[in-house]
């Protein structure tokens, strides 16, 4: 949606200042290899593959031509194309939040936005590391979030999670709708706050530079890097049965405008998938 609208404006530095660099949207995909170049040895026709590039692939299309050096992996037989495509972006971000920390079994972690694409992936990964997870969501999704691995679920339509008395080693705002100031008292003395967004006034990158100098509670604003490593980790989790993406709705490619409208409404749960004929 940010690529399509050019908002927030900072997105234009990565996707084109006056107009999009790529004429088609789409950063991730899953499909079947139709043909390969003469020197390609890593893939062959018929392979089930998926891939991701946060700079854009123009992948909202029926056919793609990509260098074999891109971040592309084969899909295990137990994973569908829809599951594979929905696993790419959000899980990559979740992995790059968690790999900057030393998550230990038994630690208390709060995830704000348990039904978001990033939040739902993060809950499963935290569960796999043995953390005790508290997550927020709407009333109708309480059981769904518990099934992901959250031991405690807070219905944010009925109570404000920032008023919790419990303290946590880590607070992850996976939807970017809170702030370090509101969550600071939830953190243990050396606790860490991470948000998936810049924050109001874009303060999170600044706080990530400033708070480590003050000692005690701090903000991290990790930039997601090394997509190839993330995809290899995702494939490993698939094989272990430790991760599956949450999928909300599916739209055929010809209804892509309707899909964008739905995602932009802020009402989606997990991921929205475009399907191909």
């Amino acid at each position: 949606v940010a690529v399509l609208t050019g908002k927030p404006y900072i997105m234009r530095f990565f996707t084109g200042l006056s107009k999009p660099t790529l004429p088609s949207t789409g950063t991730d995909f899953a499909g079947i290899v139709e043909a390969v170049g003469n020197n390609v040895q890593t893939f062959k026709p018929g392979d089930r593959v998926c891939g991701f590039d946060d700079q854009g692939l123009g992948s909202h299309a029926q056919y793609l031509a990509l260098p074999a050096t891109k971040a592309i992996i084969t899909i295990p037989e137990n994973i569908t194309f829809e599951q594979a495509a929905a696993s790419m972006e959000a899980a990559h971000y979740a992995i790059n939040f968690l790999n900057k920390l030393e998550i230990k079994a038994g630690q208390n972690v709060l995830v704000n936005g348990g039904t978001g694409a990033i939040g739902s992936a993060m809950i499963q990964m935290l569960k796999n590391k043995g953390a005790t997870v508290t997550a927020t969501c709407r009333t109708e999704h309480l059981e769904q979030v518990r099934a992901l691995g959250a031991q405690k679920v807070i219905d944010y339509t009925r109570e404000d999670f920032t008023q919790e008395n419990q303290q946590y080693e880590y607070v992850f705002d996976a939807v970017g709708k809170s702030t370090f100031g509101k969550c600071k008292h939830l953190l243990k003395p050396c606790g860490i706050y991470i948000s998936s967004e810049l924050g109001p006034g874009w303060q999170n990158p600044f706080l990530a530079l400033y708070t480590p100098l003050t000692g005690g509670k701090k903000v991290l604003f990790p930039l997601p890097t090394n997509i190839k490593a993330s995809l290899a980790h995702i494939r490993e989790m698939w094989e272990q049965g430790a991760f599956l993406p949450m999928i909300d709705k599916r739209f055929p490619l010809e209804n892509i405008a309707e899909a964008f409208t739905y995602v932009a409404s802020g009402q989606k749960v997990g991921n929205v998938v475009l399907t191909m004929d």
Side-chain angles (χ1 to χ4, degrees):
V1 173
V3 173
L4 183 72
T5 62
K7 299 176 183 179
Y9 199 86
I10 193 172
M11 286 296 299
R12 301 188 182 203
F13 289 97
F14 305 99
T15 61
L17 286 174
S18 60
K19 65 178 183 179
T21 304
L22 296 175
S24 299
T25 50
T27 58
D28 35 30
F29 71 91
I32 299 172
V33 176
E34 290 286 334
V36 298
N38 292 333
N39 297 323
V40 174
Q41 298 180 349
T42 48
F43 303 102
K44 64 183 185 301
D47 281 350
R48 302 168 73 246
V49 297
C50 58
F52 170 66
D53 187 334
D54 52 9
Q55 297 299 309
L57 289 173
S59 58
H60 291 162
Q62 290 176 316
Y63 289 91
L64 290 173
L66 299 173
T69 53
K70 282 283 190 182
I72 304 170
I73 56 173
T74 55
I75 304 171
E77 288 302 318
N78 63 316
I79 299 297
T80 68
F81 288 122
E82 293 180 8
Q83 290 170 332
S87 293
M88 299 287 95
E89 185 170 18
H92 167 62
Y93 294 150
I95 288 168
N96 275 268
F97 289 162
L98 298 181
N99 65 14
K100 307 299 187 296
L101 308 169
E102 294 185 12
I103 305 290
K104 298 177 182 178
Q107 287 184 322
N108 290 314
V109 182
L110 187 144
V111 177
N112 181 35
T115 56
I118 298 174
S120 58
M122 190 174 291
I123 291 171
Q124 295 175 73
M125 295 176 194
L126 287 166
K127 176 189 176 183
N128 199 41
K129 291 178 178 290
T132 301
V133 182
T134 298
T136 68
C137 68
R138 294 198 301 265
T139 310
E140 61 267 32
H141 303 304
L142 294 175
E143 292 306 316
Q144 199 171 4
V145 172
R146 287 191 184 98
L148 292 173
Q151 284 89 342
K152 179 180 178 182
V153 185
I154 299 172
D155 181 351
Y156 69 77
T157 67
R158 298 187 178 184
E159 56 181 309
D160 184 352
F161 79 93
T162 64
Q163 302 304 310
E164 279 272 289
N165 293 322
Q166 184 176 347
Q167 287 193 312
Y168 304 87
E169 274 85 6
Y170 306 105
V171 171
F172 295 100
D173 185 2
V175 286
K177 293 185 177 179
S178 191
T179 64
F180 175 59
K182 291 179 180 179
C183 297
K184 190 174 182 180
H185 71 281
L186 298 173
L187 294 169
K188 293 185 178 181
C190 292
I192 295 175
Y193 172 86
I194 296 180
S195 176
S196 62
E197 303 292 338
L198 295 169
W202 298 6
Q203 82 272 27
N204 287 330
F206 169 75
L207 291 172
L209 295 173
Y210 171 72
T211 53
L213 303 177
T214 62
K217 304 173 183 181
K218 63 181 180 180
V219 174
L220 286 184
F221 191 72
L223 296 176
T225 58
N226 200 343
I227 299 174
K228 288 186 177 181
S230 293
L231 266 57
H233 186 43
I234 290 168
R235 197 182 197 287
E236 183 179 325
M237 289 189 294
W238 283 339
E239 292 172 341
Q240 295 172 352
F243 168 67
L244 282 178
M246 183 182 289
I247 297 176
D248 184 350
K249 291 189 177 184
R250 298 156 176 83
F251 293 86
L253 181 61
E254 56 267 27
N255 292 352
I256 187 172
E258 184 181 344
F260 267 110
T261 299
Y262 178 63
V263 171
S265 72
Q267 298 303 307
K268 76 178 181 69
V269 177
N271 300 271
V272 170
V273 177
L274 287 175
T275 60
M276 309 292 171
D277 183 357

